[in-house]
Amino acid sequence: MRVYVSAPGKVTLFGEHAVVYGQPAIVTSIDRRVHVFAEPRSDGAVTIEARDLRTPGVRVTYREGEVTVETDYGLVLPAISYLHKAVEVASSYLGSRHGVKLVVQSEMPVGAGLGTSAAVAVATVAAYAYSGGYELSKDEIARLGWEVEKKVQGIASPMDTSIVTYGGFMRIRYSGEEVERVSLRVGAELPILLAYVEREFRTGDMVRMVRERVTRYPQLYGRIIELVGEVVGAAERALLNHDLEELGLMMNLNHGLLDSLGVSTRRLNEVVYAARSSGALGAKLTGAGGGGCVIALSRPEKMGVVEAVMGFLSEFTMRTSLGSEGVRVEVGEKTGGAALTRTTCLRSSWCT
Ligand code: PMV
């Protein structure tokens, strides 16, 4: 069976880092997607064609027989290993293995903190299962996608794989294997802008650094973590009431707390402050920090100027609409081809 699956990227609106300590976070899907096309192969082989991992600035390191290929937007081989692991995890769950040709294409840069690895994991798990004639529920897809992330990264939260599976807006809280997901009904469009600045640190480094501080000074850092949880509560009310002023205020408060945890950088702060002074109601880093993305909630009439100012200080900006559909599966002979070439490129050099 030929199968075409797509899954959206994501941004964390509120609560990153604190979510690792059992606090709630609010995440949402974005309107850029990862596309995976799967076609069974009769020879039993698994082939992977990654069409858009040609990102700029490639560095290759040869160390003790190990080859690492890194680009400005992250590691290349791990990006491919999500596909490979997804096939492994799905086939062991299904108890059967079949050959497949997988083609992956992304509308987002890899490694920018937009959830591409989760989207690849989730979409590949689904594509592999359906191409073998199996069906999976969203719960199964989310669970298996999370397995894939844990296997590739060593440690992963279920946040990204949950939101890219279900889409929309979600309050999520987890402790160990227990995951609580609440879908939030957000009626109106939010005037959101995203900007990316080069990452100086990886997610794992930032999570480790925060853990060291929380462990060493629980009275201080532990209280910041709790406060982030309270900001998430207030932000959820503002989001549901579409109170943009209050939502912006909560973004600023959340950013201040993230900065005091030590995960912001000078460049991220510059983008955040410039966005605010050019017409954003609120701006914060999103994701692990140490570089990566900033989100800004613009006054609707100021989108152009906020975007220009953020663009001046960052590697790229994008407008995105939030809360898009989660994983989408299409099965059938006519599936796939057109959609795979219909992607929007952030940089023309990424697409041919
Ligand atoms: O940078 P990202 O998108 O991988 O986000 C990491 C989010 C953290 O809360 C910092 C870590 C986690 O596992 O939830």
Side-chain angles (χ1 to χ4, degrees), residues 49-349:
E49 199 181 305
R51 288 197 179 164
D52 62 342
L53 295 176
R54 299 157 296 158
T55 47
V58 176
R59 288 175 294 282
V60 184
T61 316
Y62 299 91
R63 193 185 298 115
E64 290 164 13
E66 200 183 301
V67 185
T68 319
V69 184
E70 199 169 356
T71 75
D72 289 348
Y73 300 103
L75 296 165
V76 171
L77 292 180
I80 293 174
S81 60
Y82 286 94
L83 285 128
H84 178 239
K85 251 327 157 216
V87 170
E88 230 174 74
V89 165
S91 62
S92 108
Y93 181 73
L94 299 168
S96 106
R97 198 180 168 85
H98 59 275
V100 70
K101 172 188 171 188
L102 293 167
V103 181
V104 61
Q105 191 163 341
S106 170
E107 297 171 21
M108 300 163 279
V110 174
L114 296 176
T116 40
S117 58
V120 167
V122 157
T124 309
V125 159
Y128 184 76
Y130 280 79
S131 69
Y134 296 91
E135 280 185 26
L136 294 176
S137 68
K138 286 206 168 170
D139 283 355
E140 288 174 306
I141 296 174
R143 167 68 55 174
L144 293 172
W146 185 24
E147 270 329 296
V148 174
E149 281 218 312
K150 282 193 280 194
K151 285 209 152 84
V152 177
Q153 295 164 202
I155 180 164
S157 79
M159 198 157 75
D160 290 11
T161 38
S162 293
I163 190 63
V164 308
T165 303
Y166 294 95
F169 289 78
M170 183 183 278
R171 174 180 7 104
I172 187 161
R173 187 199 280 262
Y174 65 89
S175 109
E177 291 292 298
E178 283 296 303
V179 187
E180 178 192 299
R181 306 182 188 101
V182 178
S183 148
L184 305 175
R185 297 205 161 275
V186 177
E189 188 79 20
L190 295 172
I192 286 280
L193 288 160
L194 265 173
Y196 173 79
V197 303
E198 198 175 333
R199 285 188 91 154
E200 294 166 37
F201 301 96
R202 306 229 165 93
T203 297
D205 302 329
M206 303 315 287
V207 171
R208 237 184 327 276
M209 190 259 288
V210 172
R211 179 161 307 280
E212 274 163 24
R213 291 181 179 184
V214 171
T215 310
R216 188 154 174 208
Y217 306 100
Q219 288 304 316
L220 301 172
Y221 285 89
R223 270 152 71 186
I224 298 176
I225 297 286
E226 280 169 23
L227 215 46
V228 172
E230 288 178 35
V231 172
V232 171
E236 181 178 331
R237 287 188 291 279
L239 196 59
L240 296 176
N241 295 333
H242 202 66
D243 185 337
L244 297 188
E245 295 273 344
E246 192 169 312
L247 199 59
L249 194 63
M250 291 307 134
M251 285 169 77
N252 292 342
L253 185 45
N254 197 165
H255 181 79
L257 295 170
L258 285 164
D259 198 13
S260 53
L261 286 176
V263 298
S264 194
T265 62
R266 184 177 61 84
R267 285 197 70 197
L268 286 172
N269 283 349
E270 276 169 9
V271 178
V272 162
Y273 280 89
R276 288 177 195 164
S277 53
S278 58
L281 293 161
K284 66 181 278 291
L285 72 86
T286 173
C293 284
V294 167
I295 44 170
L297 179 71
S298 178
R299 289 179 194 281
E301 69 283 6
K302 295 279 188 171
M303 287 289 268
V305 57
V306 176
E307 187 174 21
V309 168
M310 288 172 87
F312 185 70
L313 294 170
S314 63
E315 265 60 77
F316 70 80
T317 57
M318 67 193 207
R319 292 184 187 206
T320 178
S321 101
L322 303 181
S324 64
E325 185 190 354
V327 65
R328 188 193 313 146
V329 180
E330 286 169 38
V331 179
E333 284 313 306
K334 295 214 172 68
T335 307
L340 275 173
T341 51
R342 215 187 330 114
T343 58
T344 329
C345 291
L346 299 173
R347 290 183 175 187
S348 54
S349 61

